[in-house]
Structures are given as C-alpha cells and as structure tokens.
Amino acid sequence: MSIRLDRGAVFEPSELGRRRDDLATALRELRRASGLTGDRLAARSGISQSKISKIETGKVLPSAVDVERILRALNASPDMIEEITSLTRLANTQFQDWRSTLRRGLRHRQRELAAIEADSTELRYFLPTMITGLLHTPEYARASLAGNPGDLTQAIAKRLERQAVLYDRSKSFTFVLTEAAVRWPLCPADVMAVQLGRLASLAVLPNIRLGVIPVAQPHLPEGPLSTFTVYDSRLATAEVFAGAIIMRDPRDIAYHRELFSLFVSYARFGDEAIALLTQWAEEFRHGS
C-alpha cells in the first residue's frame, strides 16, 4: 500500500519513520566532504555546535528550516539540496500502524492524543466519515471501539477524559464534518439522535467552530479521501484503515491547512449547522 501526502508525493509506509538515520548520515558526510568542522558549520549556519552534533548522530531530528540553513552553510549543489530536502521530508513523516497501536493498548493512544492536544492552541479536524473522539457521547464512543480486542473500559474512559480540553478557552477548535460522517448509523437511532444533540450543544461554545457539509450542497470540491487533523502549524495527522500518518514537514502541514480552508468554505456554521443537526437528530428519533 502506497500513501499519497499531496499531489506530488507518494511514499511507501516501509520508508516512513526509518529515514532519520539516513538523514543524519547524509548531513554528516556532506559536512565532512566540505572540509568543515562541526564548530565551523555551527558558526556559518547559526545552529549551536551541540545541536549540529546531535543532528549528525541522529539524536535530534532537524526541521526543514534547520536543514535549509545547514545546506546553505555548506554551499550544497542544487542536486544535493533536492536529494536531502526529500530525505528530510521522509524523516519528518511517520507511519503508526494500527496493529502496533492495538498491541500497546488503546488507552496509551488516548494518552498520546491528550498530550498533543494539551500542547496545541489551534486545532482543526476534517471528518468525512465518522465523528471524532473529542465529540463522542459515551454510547457512541463505546460503539466506535467495539470491534477492537480486549477490555475497552479504560480506553473509553480516557477518550471521555480528553474532552475536558474542549472547555479550555485558551484553545480554538474547528471541526468540519460531512453529512455522511454525522449520519453514519454507527449506533441505534435513539443513540445517534443524542450524539447529534451533543454536536449541536458544542457548536455554541465560543472557542469551537463546528461546521457540516450537507450532501445537497452544489458544486462540492473533490471527494474527501481521509480524516485529517492539523495542530497549529507544527503537526498534521491523516488516518487510513491501516493506521495514521504523522507529518511534521512544513509543506505537508501547509498543504493540509489549505485543504482544510477549502472544505471550510463549503461548510455551514453557527445557526445553520445547529438547524441541520437538529433536523437530522429528529429524523433519527422518528425513523425517517
């Protein structure tokens, strides 16, 4: 299975997350070939010598900006710049396969998500197929995890605990859901009606923008391929059946922010969103 991060890049999951050492080696060899010491490179690039050393030994993963400064200081050729920039992108992309997540336990996954949310200020969620965990009722959360092995009690409890972050007014959340995600009948109709009621109630919080894209909307953009989340301008994640792709390269983050803005432009927010959610909840209640 190949993974497309944007229109110009297709990566194999086996490549993702293993390129850190390759990048460290490439930068170290390039510095040596230039005849510069670590101290000289640090002075030229404006990066501390200790950080240069940690980058070259793989202890620190350099950002795209770090690599650009190092390549400029080394007077790297255009071909070398292209090669190492591509390697940097791979090194800053990780594939977290679902089987490994299950082996570690879903409660640990909930703790990881809580840590990312705690460190973020602006959070953007595009949800084309299902409602995300931060918005779940307990019954919907239980149904969403029901197909996974083991005792799910702790995972459900941790997921519900995470929801406290929604009431932190220092953070802003934007959720964009398609009508398909909202109306996907994961639970019995009465439970779905309660879940949609929760969405409508959260939509009135001042730090939350919750929008829905109805299928009746004319001229919708290209089909939504996957769920993705953007945390500030530092991290983007995308979900596929086999796992999650974690992206730290600024180009990938910028691409997903632009894509999110596109879907936002087609979404209904505020009173319009609440009216649609209320209508759909009533349809679940009355079996329409």
Side-chain angles (χ1 to χ4, degrees):
M1 178 189 69
S2 296
I3 294 171
R4 181 177 294 278
L5 298 188
D6 63 25
R7 293 182 183 275
V10 178
F11 300 145
E12 294 294 332
S14 59
E15 292 182 315
L16 303 181
R18 78 180 188 190
R19 296 300 189 181
R20 183 171 180 155
D21 290 341
D22 294 342
L23 178 60
T25 300
L27 291 172
R28 184 172 65 250
E29 291 179 352
L30 186 62
R31 176 186 60 75
R32 288 175 176 171
S34 74
L36 288 183
T37 63
D39 289 339
R40 290 286 304 280
L41 176 57
R44 284 193 182 186
S45 65
I47 299 173
S48 70
Q49 193 279 329
S50 62
K51 185 173 182 180
I52 292 288
S53 176
K54 289 175 182 176
I55 288 172
E56 291 187 355
T57 55
K59 293 178 180 177
V60 167
L61 178 62
S63 68
V65 173
D66 291 333
V67 172
E68 181 184 355
R69 290 165 70 182
I70 290 170
L71 293 175
R72 189 166 57 244
L74 294 172
N75 295 317
S77 67
D79 287 346
M80 185 59 68
I81 289 173
E82 182 178 355
E83 179 180 337
I84 292 188
T85 298
S86 296
L87 190 55
T88 303
R89 192 178 192 187
L90 282 170
N92 277 278
T93 306
Q94 176 186 357
F95 182 69
Q96 224 174 47
D97 71 274
W98 189 240
R99 285 171 297 184
S100 297
T101 299
L102 289 175
R103 283 196 297 270
R104 288 187 297 114
L106 291 177
R107 67 185 184 279
H108 296 299
R109 173 63 177 158
Q110 296 302 312
R111 290 195 187 105
E112 290 171 358
L113 289 171
I116 296 173
E117 290 154 1
D119 289 340
S120 303
T121 301
E122 276 187 285
L123 301 93
R124 301 168 175 85
Y125 298 79
F126 178 61
L127 307 165
T129 55
M130 272 185 63
I131 300 167
T132 193
L134 281 181
L135 306 176
H136 287 181
T137 63
E139 294 83 1
Y140 193 97
R142 190 171 294 107
S144 72
L145 295 173
N148 295 293
D151 182 4
L152 301 175
T153 304
Q154 290 186 7
I156 294 168
K158 290 295 179 186
R159 175 173 289 183
L160 298 177
E161 282 178 21
R162 281 174 48 217
Q163 295 177 359
V165 75
L166 294 172
Y167 302 94
D168 183 344
R169 300 295 176 87
S170 68
K171 301 178 185 294
S172 66
F173 299 84
T174 306
F175 299 93
V176 175
L177 303 94
T178 65
E179 180 178 345
V182 173
R183 303 185 72 165
W184 187 263
L186 184 69
C187 307
D190 58 336
V191 176
M192 289 299 302
V194 173
Q195 174 62 69
L196 269 60
R198 172 166 171 76
L199 296 181
S201 67
L202 289 172
V204 303
L205 292 179
N207 61 322
I208 293 179
R209 291 185 73 210
L210 192 148
V212 293
I213 302 177
V215 294
Q217 178 93 341
H219 312 301
L220 288 172
E222 60 183 276
L225 297 179
S226 64
T227 295
F228 66 85
T229 306
V230 183
Y231 301 93
D232 299 324
S233 295
R234 63 188 179 86
L235 183 69
T237 65
E239 296 181 20
V240 295
F241 278 113
I245 308 157
I246 301 168
M247 294 162 276
R248 297 180 179 84
D249 187 284
R251 290 169 299 178
D252 295 323
I253 297 167
Y255 171 75
H256 282 85
R257 285 182 63 130
E258 290 172 9
L259 190 59
F260 189 80
S261 295
L262 173 65
F263 287 116
V264 163
S265 70
Y266 285 88
R268 312 281 181 85
F269 289 90
D271 291 342
E272 284 187 280
I274 291 171
L276 285 169
L277 292 167
T278 302
Q279 173 192 327
W280 296 334
E282 286 301 310
E283 291 174 6
F284 273 117
R285 286 192 182 95
H286 299 295
S288 301

